[in-house]
């Protein structure tokens, strides 16, 4: 209520705030047993049933802040641990056994890994897989970035626009992405017919234009030729995905940045290397990891498309050991592939690490 002080000036009294006051947090060891039980019960009870003496405890407020999030995440995390994480540990365990598919699996220590170390066929398959791991991501990402940049900023400058894509860019995205909707087994079968040395489309096209001397046994002849042919198929089947991915990343870059680059006299090449590529680098690094894992697999393409004597990658070699009943040895090969994937991921993240660019 308004009042007057001695000088006659009217004043207003401030309202008095009443209610629970947060007290100093008492150490957990010093809490009475009743308070400890009440606090423990409050963790499992809904907030409205929380005792008054616990509700204003700092520890409970911190817990209550994250309890809602944990409540939503606990079930997905349990499913992820049971169906994703636990098989990895099971595979590691069976890699140290002589499991042959039966109910028993005798522990043999590192015998499977010693056998793998002395297995020349395993090292031949691993060499092919490593070449795919190194070369295929570079080819695929380079093509994806180039085509995405042409679609996004490769067209003629239109009035009122700093950059513009080529004519029909939306149609090109659909065409490039089309292999992604096809089964990888179907892709392998189609390209097997394309590479056929007798009635294949590739040799037929070379003969039609008078280049008969370039006709080859693309898959059943030389090892290097079969390897390069496999690289081409894997890159072709995945490049459309990265065209769409990088196009979306480039489209998110503000046009003001491109306008500033044009005002400074930057051309297309300078704009790409100084503006576009640095701003989409995080997307490129993620795609590099994903494409590396896809190239390291290459199971269906090689198994269906390439003859056994021409090329063999590690996943196919693993599959053959499973067919022979060497489950423990095959699982050890799978563990090596897992370790190789993790090392590749860490290396890419290390190479591509940099200060975050915000705009």
């Amino acid at each position: 209520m308004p009042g007057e002080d001695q000088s006659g000036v009217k004043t207003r009294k401030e309202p008095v705030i009443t209610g629970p006051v947060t007290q100093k947090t008492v150490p957990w060891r010093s809490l009475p047993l009743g308070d400890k039980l009440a606090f423990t019960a409050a963790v499992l009870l809904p907030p409205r049933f929380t005792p008054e003496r616990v509700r204003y405890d700092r520890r409970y407020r911190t817990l209550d802040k994250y309890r809602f999030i944990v409540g939503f995440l606990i079930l997905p995390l349990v499913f992820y641990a049971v169906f994703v994480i636990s098989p990895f540990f099971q595979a590691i365990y069976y890699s140290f056994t002589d499991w042959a598919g039966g109910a028993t699996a005798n522990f043999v220590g590192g015998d499977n890994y010693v056998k793998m170390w002395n297995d020349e066929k395993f090292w031949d398959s691993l060499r092919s897989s490593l070449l795919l791991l190194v070369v295929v991501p570079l080819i695929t990402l380079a093509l994806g970035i180039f085509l995405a940049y042409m679609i996004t900023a490769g067209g003629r400058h239109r009035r009122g626009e700093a950059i513009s894509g080529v004519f029909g860019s939306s149609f090109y995205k659909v065409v490039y992405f089309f292999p992604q909707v096809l089964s990888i087994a179907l892709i392998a079968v189609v390209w097997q017919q394309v590479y056929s040395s007798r009635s294949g489309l590739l040799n037929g096209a070379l003969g039609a234009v008078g280049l008969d001397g370039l006709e080859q046994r693309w898959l059943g002849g030389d090892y290097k030729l079969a390897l390069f042919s496999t690289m081409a198929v894997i890159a072709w089947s995945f490049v459309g995905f990265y065209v769409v991915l990088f196009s979306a990343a480039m489209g998110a870059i503000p046009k003001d940045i491109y306008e500033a680059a044009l005002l400074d006299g930057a051309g297309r090449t300078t704009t790409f290397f100084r503006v576009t590529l640095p701003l989409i680098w995080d997307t490129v690094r993620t795609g590099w990891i994903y494409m590396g894992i896809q190239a390291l697999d290459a199971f269906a393409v090689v198994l269906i498309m390439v003859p056994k004597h021409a090329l063999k990658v590690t996943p196919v070699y693993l599959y053959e050991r499973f067919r022979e009943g060497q489950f423990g040895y095959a699982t050890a090969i799978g563990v090596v592939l897992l370790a190789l994937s993790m090392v590749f991921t860490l290396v890419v993240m290390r190479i591509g690490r940099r200060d975050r660019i915000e705009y």
Side-chain angles (χ1 to χ4, degrees), residues 15-78:
V16 179
I17 301 176
T18 60
V21 179
T22 304
Q23 299 178 355
K24 184 179 181 180
T25 303
V26 180
W28 178 261
R29 294 181 180 180
S30 304
L31 286 177
L33 179 60
D35 290 348
K36 290 182 179 180
L37 294 176
F39 185 85
T40 304
V43 174
L44 305 175
L45 293 174
R48 62 176 178 272
F49 296 118
T50 304
E52 190 77 16
R53 55 184 173 179
V54 175
R55 183 176 301 172
Y56 299 100
D57 190 288
R58 187 179 62 186
R59 291 179 291 254
Y60 174 78
R61 294 200 311 272
T62 303
L63 178 65
D64 186 60
K65 182 171 62 174
Y66 296 104
R67 183 167 57 176
F68 179 80
I69 300 174
V70 172
F72 273 91
L73 291 180
I74 188 66
L75 188 60
L77 289 177
V78 168

Side-chain angles (χ1 to χ4, degrees), residues 116 119-133 223 296 312-315 317 333 336-337 340:
M116 192 188 312
D119 190 349
E120 293 183 2
K121 293 183 179 180
F122 164 75
W123 287 107
D124 291 340
S125 67
L126 186 62
R127 180 184 61 178
S128 302
S129 294
L130 289 176
L131 287 173
L132 293 175
L133 176 64
Y223 162 78
L296 185 62
K312 192 169 293 181
V313 292
T314 306
Y317 186 70
I333 297 175
V336 171
L337 285 175
L340 189 60

Side-chain angles (χ1 to χ4, degrees), residues 74-349:
I74 188 66
L75 188 60
L77 289 177
V78 168
F79 275 96
Y80 185 80
V82 171
F83 295 106
V84 179
I85 301 299
S86 63
F88 286 113
F89 288 101
Q90 293 178 13
I92 294 173
Y93 166 74
Y94 283 119
S95 69
F96 293 100
T97 66
D98 61 353
W99 182 44
T104 59
N106 301 316
F107 186 79
V108 295
D111 290 356
N112 289 325
Y113 294 95
V114 174
K115 178 181 178 181
M116 192 188 312
W117 181 263
N118 299 317
D119 190 349
E120 293 183 2
K121 293 183 179 180
F122 164 75
W123 287 107
D124 291 340
S125 67
L126 186 62
R127 180 184 61 178
S128 302
S129 294
L130 289 176
L131 287 173
L132 293 175
L133 176 64
V134 173
V135 178
V136 172
L138 296 178
I139 297 175
T140 308
L141 296 182
L143 288 174
I145 294 173
F146 172 75
L147 295 174
Y149 187 69
M150 290 296 102
I151 290 175
T152 306
R156 295 181 178 179
H157 294 297
R158 300 174 185 174
R159 182 175 300 177
E161 294 184 7
I163 60 169
S164 58
V166 297
F167 178 77
S169 57
S170 300
F171 173 75
Y172 291 139
K173 290 181 184 179
V174 175
V175 173
Y176 292 140
F177 193 77
F178 179 73
Q180 286 292 305
V181 304
L182 299 178
S183 167
I184 191 67
L186 179 60
I187 291 175
V189 171
V190 170
W191 278 95
Q192 185 184 43
Q193 299 302 316
V194 172
Y195 283 133
S196 176
S197 58
R198 296 182 179 180
S199 58
L201 178 62
L202 183 55
N203 281 343
L206 292 174
V209 296
L211 299 176
D212 303 44
L214 297 180
E215 295 182 4
Q216 302 286 339
R217 293 183 59 196
W218 300 99
L219 299 176
D222 183 61
Y223 162 78
K224 294 182 179 179
L225 196 57
L227 181 64
F228 292 147
S229 300
T230 303
M231 290 179 180
V233 173
I234 298 175
W236 176 85
S237 61
F238 284 99
V239 69
F241 172 79
Y242 292 101
V243 169
V244 176
L245 178 66
F246 295 146
S247 296
M250 294 176 187
I253 300 175
K255 299 297 187 293
D256 297 344
I257 299 179
Y258 287 110
E259 292 178 356
L262 291 176
L263 290 175
D264 290 340
R268 293 186 188 274
T269 305
T270 304
T271 303
F272 173 76
F273 285 103
R274 296 295 182 88
V275 177
T276 304
L277 188 58
L279 292 179
I280 67 168
W281 180 249
D282 290 339
T283 306
V284 173
R285 185 177 60 176
T286 303
W288 192 357
I289 295 173
Y290 176 74
M291 189 62 227
I293 296 174
Q294 293 294 332
L296 185 62
D297 182 9
F299 171 75
V301 172
V302 176
L303 182 66
I304 297 173
M305 187 181 71
V306 185
K308 295 182 179 180
H309 67 275
L311 176 66
K312 192 169 293 181
V313 292
T314 306
V316 174
Y317 186 70
L318 181 154
Y319 168 72
E320 292 177 349
R321 303 289 76 76
F322 263 111
R323 292 188 60 182
E324 296 174 358
Q326 303 179 34
F327 294 158
Y329 183 50
T331 307
I333 297 175
V335 172
V336 171
L337 285 175
L338 171 63
L340 189 60
S341 302
M342 295 177 65
V343 170
F344 171 77
T345 302
L346 292 175
V347 169
V348 172
M349 293 182 66

